[in-house]
């Protein structure tokens, strides 16, 4: 695989410290030499068999749901010495019967990337990018983060005996996520700015110090994250769903999944492309506005403000890549309100599958796509859940207690979701009170 600029097409032999094209300043991506990935010396059937057989291997790389698909990843020389893995990937595909019934589709699944080692999808990209840093001899790695990236980077840096620097916006991330980077030994700096301000500081830093950048502008991250789509197709016996729905924050994940779909079609691993749709929070919707207002010709940064902190990003770095994926697959972009996110999160939870708020935009978006007719009742849909429920437990507790929107402009709308709230019941310590509560719950079920 070689590097190429997504805008001017320049093909540098190696990447600059900030992973930007030295000709035009845009992002870099990996591509297969030759006109298509058919340059690989494997046919589709051979690849499928090889990847499946590795599931029973004792090799450390094969235990990873990322490195198991290494034929489609950048090469890391001397992998025994440099590949850093925590057995990432291998995440479950769950059926969501109650959600399917509620939204009126027959076939609804969730690919839960929150079941990765540090409880978010970031691990699948971080294993590849951190391994690249280790192979390059870097002592320090760094990221700007809304929480999940910092947790993942700190864990992989610790595992690879590297130091990690985290820049986070002060007061704008979940303490559950921050606690992870602290426990994994990161130098954690809370800056008095937003996520995009942290990115600006980090971009200047890596040009002045020997620090390896591990945000999603790093193309190694995208390559690792694309394996979620490969694993998903394997779980579906290589029969693509009609729709894949992804949360939209910095847009690296939607770009990665779309890139994998296009490569798999070129390799004849799948016969057709699913429609990949991207959902943003209404208060953090620069990509939605770019597509709807400007036809994708430009993106106007904004000050993002959403309780779904993982996607509280006003100037997404990978928007051009995401636009290309959206157009190539015939997908849609949609926005959802804060209350719609909270309600969708509770509905996913009622299927026994917990997720963080940013993940729930997928189901909230699916509701809108069903109402518009873009998703039909008989079509197969897969939601990508990006983070674990326990990434932001305060959100969940406040919602079920009825406190999440109290005193805010959203309080009236939130009343419509009251039936989804399941607050704890405080009772006297006697059997009769418990039986009465049980009987009341039965009557109301």
């Amino acid at each position: 695989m070689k590097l190429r600029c997504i805008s001017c097409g320049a093909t540098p032999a190696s990447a600059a410290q900030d992973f930007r094209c030295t000709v035009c300043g845009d992002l870099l991506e990996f591509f297969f030499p030759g006109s298509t990935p058919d340059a690989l010396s494997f046919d589709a059937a051979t690849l499928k068999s090889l990847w499946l057989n590795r599931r029973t291997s004792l090799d450390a790389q094969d235990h990873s749901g990322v490195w198991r698909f290494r034929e489609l990843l950048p090469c890391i020389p001397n992998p025994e010495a440099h590949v850093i893995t925590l057995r990432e990937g291998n995440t479950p595909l769950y059926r969501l019967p109650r959600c399917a019934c509620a939204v009126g589709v027959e076939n609804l699944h969730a690919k839960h990337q929150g079941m990765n080692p540090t409880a978010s999808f970031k691990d699948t990209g971080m294993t590849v990018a951190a391994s690249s840093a280790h192979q390059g001899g870097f002592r320090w790695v760094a990221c700007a983060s809304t929480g999940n990236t910092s947790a993942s980077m700190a864990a992989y840096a610790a595992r690879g005996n590297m130091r990690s620097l985290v820049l986070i916006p002060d007061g704008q991330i979940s303490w559950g996520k921050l606690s992870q980077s602290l426990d994994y030994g990161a130098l954690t700096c809370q800056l008095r700015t937003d996520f995009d301000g942290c990115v600006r500081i980090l971009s200047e830093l890596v040009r002045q110090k020997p620090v390896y950048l591990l945000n999603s502008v790093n193309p190694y991250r995208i390559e690792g994250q694309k394996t979620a789509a490969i694993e998903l197709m394997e779980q579906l016996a290589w029969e693509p769903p009609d729709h894949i729905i992804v949360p939209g924050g910095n847009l690296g994940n939607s770009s990665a999944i779309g890139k994998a779909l296009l490569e798999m079609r070129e390799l004849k691993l799948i016969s057709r492309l699913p429609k990949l749709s991207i959902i943003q929070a209404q208060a953090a919707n620069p990509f939605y506005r770019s597509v709807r207002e400007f036809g994708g010709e430009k993106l106007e940064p904004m000050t993002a403000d959403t309780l779904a902190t993982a996607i509280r990003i006003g100037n997404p770095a990978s928007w051009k890549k995401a636009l290309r994926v959206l157009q190539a697959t015939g997908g849609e972009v949609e926005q959802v309100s804060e209350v719609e996110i909270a309600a969708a999160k509770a509905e996913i939870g009622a299927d026994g599958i917990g997720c963080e708020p940013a993940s729930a935009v997928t189901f909230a978006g699916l509701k809108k796509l069903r109402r518009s007719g873009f998703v039909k009742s008989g079509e197969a849909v897969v939601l990508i859940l990006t983070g674990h429920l326990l990434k932001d437990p305060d959100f969940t507790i406040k919602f079920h207690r009825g406190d999440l929107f109290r005193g805010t402009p959203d309080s009236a709308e939130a009343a419509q979701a009251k039936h989804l709230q399941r607050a704890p019941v405080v009772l006297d310590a006697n059997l009769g009170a418990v039986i009465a509560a049980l009987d009341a719950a039965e009557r109301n079920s």
Side-chain angles (χ1 to χ4, degrees), residues 370-405:
R370 277 288 292 127
R371 288 196 294 269
S372 71
F374 183 76
V375 175
K376 310 286 191 299
S377 63
E379 293 181 318
V381 182
V382 175
L383 309 179
I384 304 297
L385 305 183
T386 48
H388 196 279
L389 168 71
L390 296 179
K391 284 286 189 173
D392 195 351
D394 285 348
F395 182 103
T396 306
I397 292 168
K398 288 178 180 177
F399 173 77
H400 287 293
R401 286 180 171 172
D403 299 331
L404 190 62
F405 299 108

Side-chain angles (χ1 to χ4, degrees), residues 216-275:
S216 60
V217 295
N218 184 323
Y220 286 93
R221 281 272 310 275
I222 300 301
E223 293 304 301
Q225 285 171 211
K226 77 182 184 184
T227 58
I230 304 172
E231 185 177 81
L232 170 63
M233 293 303 127
E234 184 182 64
Q235 289 169 318
L236 293 173
W238 302 99
E239 180 59 37
D242 298 289
H243 298 271
I244 297 176
I245 303 179
V246 188
N250 215 22
L251 301 175
N253 202 35
S254 48
S255 304
I257 290 172
K259 186 175 190 291
L261 295 174
L262 293 169
E263 290 177 357
M264 284 189 285
R265 185 182 64 174
E266 290 291 337
L267 280 167
K268 298 181 172 54
L269 291 165
I270 56 175
S271 58
R272 59 182 176 84
L273 290 176
K275 293 181 175 68

